[in-house]
Amino acid sequence: MSAQDLPLPLGHFATLPDGLRLHYLDEGQGPVVLWLHGSGPGASGYSNFKANYPVFAAAGYRNIVLDLPGFGRSDKPEDTEYCLDFFVTALNAFLAAVGIARCTLVGNSLGGAIALGQALAHPETVERLILLAPGGLEERETYFQMEGIQRMVAVYGAGPMGVEEMRQVMSLQLFDTALLDDTLLAERAAVAATQPRSLFAGMRVANMTERLGELTCPVLAFWGTVDRFNPVGGALKLLDNAPQARCVLLNRCGHWVQVEHTALFNRSCLDFLAEA
């Protein structure tokens, strides 16, 4: 299946100076909110945030829902080292390509790490950060001790991922697995079939904990206490180190706050964005 044939909404493409082509949805008018999804087989901006960005659009925000390199409908080069610097360089070039000088970044997991990386490397481009269980706050070895990461690696390494294989991994994303519908699983399975194996084998994200004090923008974070992918202790690292940080901790919630507590997440974010 080609990127054009994936069961995802078709939006726009931006070509970066290095030739990399990134896909994004562009919904609404107003101040810009740019959405950065998490990692994992089959991930895309739409599958992560389909229940969130339309609410922001209705509230008067322009929403750029990006497919990161290696994911969704975006290019998936096989000869690239998918490290944090690569993603931040691509994100910054994307902002320039689509003419966005400053925005709020919403980042989940890997997307949260990229949002942090962008805010540290290019603070003039980031007005606010909204982070959902962001990566980049632990060493790689710590993440690979998490149950969710271990299962993802095992299932992905065993071969092609269909809907049932995707269910095995995604069931650990949520506290309430009843929220896993077959449409979502089929979307992700289709994308996973197009991803290079080098994407996950070589992924590297630096631990930015010691640099959190350099953040110059307000931060709103969310974390589920039953997160099986990113240790919930990262919430305290944000609160202890980032100068303008607040965090919402939710019990009976896994790695996808925006899915398990959609209304609370949307409402809290819109209140945060409306603050002077």
Side-chain angles (χ1 to χ4, degrees), residues 24-63:
Y24 64 101
L25 304 177
D26 189 344
E27 300 287 341
Q29 300 291 328
V32 178
V33 178
L34 196 152
W35 301 76
L36 300 168
H37 62 79
S39 181
S44 69
Y46 178 72
S47 70
N48 259 221
F49 301 121
K50 64 174 73 175
N52 312 114
Y53 72 86
V55 177
F56 284 59
Y61 293 92
R62 179 186 177 194
N63 296 267

Side-chain angles (χ1 to χ4, degrees), residues 34 36 66 68 84-96 100-106 110-129 131 208 211 214-217:
L34 196 152
L36 300 168
L66 182 64
L68 293 168
L84 182 62
D85 285 346
F86 165 74
F87 286 115
V88 171
T89 297
L91 173 58
N92 199 55
F94 172 80
L95 291 174
I100 296 173
R102 191 169 171 83
C103 65
T104 292
L105 293 178
V106 182
L110 170 64
I114 297 167
L116 284 169
Q118 178 72 19
L120 290 169
H122 307 283
E124 72 284 355
T125 67
V126 181
E127 184 172 1
R128 297 171 188 264
L129 285 174
L131 306 173
M208 293 172 278
R211 296 194 60 197
E214 301 172 31
L215 292 172
T216 59
C217 62

Side-chain angles (χ1 to χ4, degrees), residues 8 11 36 61 71 75 82 91 98 102 117 127 132 181 204 212 221 227 234 249 263 265 268-269:
L8 300 170
L36 300 168
Y61 293 92
F71 297 89
D75 282 353
Y82 287 91
L91 173 58
V98 297
R102 191 169 171 83
E127 184 172 1
L132 301 93
D181 63 81
R204 297 289 187 276
L212 292 176
D227 193 320
L249 286 178
F265 170 78
S268 300
C269 290

Side-chain angles (χ1 to χ4, degrees), residues 223-256:
W223 224 300
T225 61
V226 197
D227 193 320
R228 296 183 176 93
F229 286 79
N230 285 3
V232 69
L236 290 180
K237 293 185 177 184
L238 279 170
L239 294 175
D240 288 343
N241 294 283
Q244 303 180 68
R246 68 192 78 169
C247 186
V248 179
L249 286 178
L250 296 161
N251 71 337
R252 300 172 65 84
C253 178
H255 193 51
W256 266 9

Side-chain angles (χ1 to χ4, degrees), residues 102-186:
R102 191 169 171 83
C103 65
T104 292
L105 293 178
V106 182
N108 173 216
S109 198
L110 170 64
I114 297 167
L116 284 169
Q118 178 72 19
L120 290 169
H122 307 283
E124 72 284 355
T125 67
V126 181
E127 184 172 1
R128 297 171 188 264
L129 285 174
I130 298 173
L131 306 173
L132 301 93
L137 299 178
E138 306 285 351
E139 299 300 327
R140 190 171 189 266
E141 293 73 20
T142 300
Y143 290 118
F144 274 79
Q145 292 172 6
M146 299 296 289
E147 180 186 6
I149 300 291
Q150 290 182 348
R151 182 178 294 183
M152 182 183 74
V153 171
V155 175
Y156 184 75
M161 293 185 68
V163 168
E164 291 311 311
E165 289 78 15
M166 195 63 65
R167 193 187 308 276
Q168 292 179 46
V169 175
M170 298 289 293
S171 63
L172 294 183
Q173 291 265 73
L174 306 170
F175 177 81
D176 181 4
T177 57
L179 296 172
L180 271 184
D181 63 81
D182 286 348
T183 300
L184 172 64
L185 295 171

Side-chain angles (χ1 to χ4, degrees), residues 65-80:
V65 186
L66 182 64
D67 287 341
L68 293 168
F71 297 89
R73 292 183 183 272
S74 289
D75 282 353
K76 305 173 179 66
E78 297 187 11
D79 56 352
T80 294

